Amino acid sequence: MTRAPTRLSALPSGRIEERFEDKNPRYTEAEAFAEANRCLYCVDAPCVKACPTEIDIPSFIRKIATGQVKGAARTILTANLLGQSCGQACPVEVLCAGDCVYNAWGREPIAIGRLQRYAVEAALAKGPGLLRAKPPTGRSVALVGAGPASVAAAGYLALEGHRAVIFERKSIPGGLNTLGIAPYKMKGHEALRELEWVLSLGDIELRAGVSVVEQAAAPGEVSARDLLAEFDAVFLGLGLGDDARLGIPGEDGEGVVGATAFIERLKADPRLELSGVRRAAVVGGGNTALDVAHELALLGVDVAIVYRRSEAEMSGYAHELEGARVAGARLIENRVPVEVVRDGGRLVALRIAPADAGAQREAPQGAAPAADELVPADLVAVAIGQSRATRVALAFEGVALDARGRVVVDPATHRTGNPRVYSGGDCVNGGKEVVNAVAEAKLAARAMHEAMMQRAGGAAPVPAPQGE
């Protein structure tokens, strides 16, 4: 394979995501100083235990309070290379800030996410050289997919002196960070800026527009066998697949969209036009459903969230539902969609029925049953889950999937059944947060480093990345 330089193209202007204001804008220096001085710097800090990447939160906050912004950023990034995006997009309400001791006293918890974002952005603005890579080892790793798990793993491997090459089938890299995070939390260009920084950490190459397949037969394809022949190890950061479908009458046609596909267009496609959308129905009860409902409501659309169970049973976070409600969305509980109603092909409503009536039935001819309701809608966004994008994993001998289509790994090392293939992120955990992907990438990177160095007769343990 020939090597090409890494280049990230800027996202086009005119994207709808540019209309959104920042929900939690970056602190000023004075604001960060004041908030940092509220921290009690707990010795046995519960916030650290609640962080999947185990950032030393009291330490970095103390450094902000004493004016050591670069030191604060180094503390964060050593533990979590995607510290900026996690500072913006992490559900801190149920992680670190949710375990802040101030909660037990009925006081506002420390704004850990905003302090984290401030420290990283302020430090990188002064100069990107916060972490230094070790000398080249001559070892190399291929990473499939350019989402948070692969990007973080590539960064950690590069800091250890290994060469990392990321293969991404889409033209726009970054996965969830670039194309899936709600724009009121983080914009796509911010994710690409963070990705650029990670790519600068060492010998990392990004090959966008390249698909990994079982047997390469066309330009822009590379086979699993080729990767194992050229690289010492392979990391599978495959993410999730396409949006699931409802399987009801009227679903095929204009106006019905998969939620993640819709969010991706909203964030990256300037051709997306919503001027004719006044009312929308969002089907689902997870965080993706709440995100798209919140986004549409902020754009002035009348939004109804249709969920098959009760509010108490929703998998989406309570604070995300509250945010969507504040923006104007409403929740319809214990209802299932049974038909997308069209008038001359144009979507006009979503017919819903009590959940115990069954979701997969056709509405009877003539008058609808009294229990059915019509939710007027110009757009229906389906957020009931995603397929698994793990078929390519089976092209690697020894790699297995579980009954739910997730890549099976050793939880301690994230090694698959193939001793040279590792995996992490959504394709392993089924769809969690960015911070979980980073935590899994750290485990896999450490295990890959140890295995490669042992095969080379080198050292085993992985020390923390060194600062300047």
Side-chain angles (χ1 to χ4, degrees):
M1 288 181 243
T2 59
R3 185 171 183 183
T6 296
R7 292 179 182 174
L8 295 187
S9 299
L11 291 169
S13 59
R15 309 180 325 274
I16 290 178
E17 83 156 355
E18 295 174 315
R19 305 178 195 173
F20 291 86
E21 295 183 359
D22 199 334
K23 177 184 175 183
N24 292 309
R26 175 181 152 183
Y27 275 146
T28 64
E29 183 178 1
E31 289 170 335
F33 181 79
E35 183 65 13
N37 275 285
R38 288 183 57 229
C39 184
L40 301 175
Y41 313 124
C42 304
V43 174
D44 191 22
C47 57
V48 176
K49 298 176 182 178
C51 174
T53 56
E54 299 180 328
I55 295 173
D56 188 344
I57 295 169
S59 177
F60 93 71
I61 294 179
R62 186 187 293 273
K63 289 174 182 176
I64 292 175
T66 56
Q68 303 175 62
V69 177
K70 288 188 71 173
R74 187 174 289 120
T75 297
I76 295 164
L77 296 170
T78 298
N80 182 344
L81 282 179
L82 302 187
Q84 176 188 321
S85 56
C86 286
Q88 292 179 250
C90 253
V92 294
E93 296 87 348
V94 296
L95 294 174
C96 53
D99 271 16
C100 178
V101 295
Y102 275 137
N103 289 297
W105 303 338
R107 297 174 62 184
E108 189 71 19
I110 300 299
I112 298 170
R114 296 187 72 181
L115 287 172
Q116 181 169 312
R117 176 186 180 182
Y118 165 79
V120 175
E121 288 192 1
L124 291 180
K126 295 179 179 180
L130 293 173
L131 304 175
R132 185 177 64 243
K134 295 177 181 178
T137 63
R139 298 289 169 174
S140 62
V141 177
L143 302 102
V144 184
S150 288
V151 170
Y156 284 116
L157 289 164
L159 287 170
E160 291 298 333
H162 307 301
R163 178 180 173 227
V165 181
I166 306 172
F167 296 84
E168 169 58 49
R169 63 182 177 85
K170 294 182 179 180
S171 60
I172 301 175
L176 172 69
N177 270 17
T178 305
L179 301 172
I181 291 177
Y184 51 84
K185 298 177 183 177
M186 187 171 74
K187 306 290 193 297
H189 68 269
E190 294 173 314
L192 290 179
R193 185 175 62 209
E194 180 180 53
L195 175 54
E196 287 274 19
W197 176 75
V198 174
L199 295 177
S200 75
L201 292 176
D203 189 0
I204 307 177
E205 179 188 351
L206 171 64
R207 298 182 187 177
V210 178
S211 297
V212 176
V213 296
E214 185 172 358
Q215 292 185 343
E221 293 182 344
V222 60
S223 72
R225 179 175 296 181
D226 288 340
L227 295 185
L228 288 172
E230 180 175 350
F231 296 90
D232 296 287
V234 175
F235 178 84
L236 303 177
L238 304 172
L240 295 176
D242 296 333
D243 294 291
R245 292 170 53 84
L246 293 168
I248 59 175
E251 182 176 14
D252 294 328
E254 187 175 354
V256 180
V257 297
T260 63
F262 174 77
I263 294 172
E264 180 173 328
R265 290 197 64 198
L266 184 147
K267 291 180 67 67
D269 187 355
R271 299 168 298 177
L272 178 63
E273 179 57 62
L274 295 178
S275 59
V277 178
R278 296 179 294 112
R279 301 164 301 186
V282 177
V283 182
N287 288 311
T288 300
L290 299 181
D291 274 349
V292 75
H294 194 164
E295 291 158 10
L296 287 167
L298 288 174
L299 291 170
V301 178
D302 179 17
V303 182
I305 305 168
V306 178
Y307 180 53
R308 62 194 174 101
R309 296 195 178 103
S310 69
E311 177 178 337
E313 297 171 284
M314 294 179 75
S315 60
Y317 298 133
H319 69 271
E320 297 288 11
L321 175 59
E322 179 60 23
R325 278 176 162 156
V326 169
R330 67 187 187 280
L331 174 64
I332 302 175
E333 304 173 73
N334 300 304
R335 294 292 187 275
V336 293
V338 294
E339 180 189 10
V340 175
V341 182
R342 297 183 180 275
D343 181 5
R346 182 176 65 88
L347 192 157
V348 295
L350 180 69
R351 190 187 304 278
I352 59 176
D356 56 9
Q360 307 300 324
R361 68 174 178 83
E362 292 193 19
Q365 295 182 355
D372 284 12
E373 305 172 52
L374 288 180
V375 179
D378 308 301
L379 177 75
V380 173
V382 181
I384 58 173
Q386 294 172 252
S387 64
R388 298 291 181 251
T390 47
R391 182 175 178 181
V392 66
L394 299 178
F396 295 89
E397 185 179 356
V399 178
L401 307 181
D402 67 11
R404 297 172 61 186
R406 299 172 299 186
V407 179
V408 177
V409 299
D410 176 350
T413 62
H414 275 256
R415 191 180 75 178
T416 69
N418 186 316
R420 291 173 55 207
V421 180
Y422 298 73
S423 187
D426 286 350
C427 66
V428 170
N429 61 44
K432 291 187 177 181
E433 307 296 340
V434 174
V435 69
N436 298 101
V438 177
E440 294 176 7
K442 283 174 63 178
L443 289 174
R446 180 178 292 113
M448 283 186 279
H449 168 75
E450 292 177 355
M452 288 188 295
M453 296 309 288
Q454 286 172 356
R455 285 198 294 268
V462 184
Q466 299 177 4
E468 292 185 325

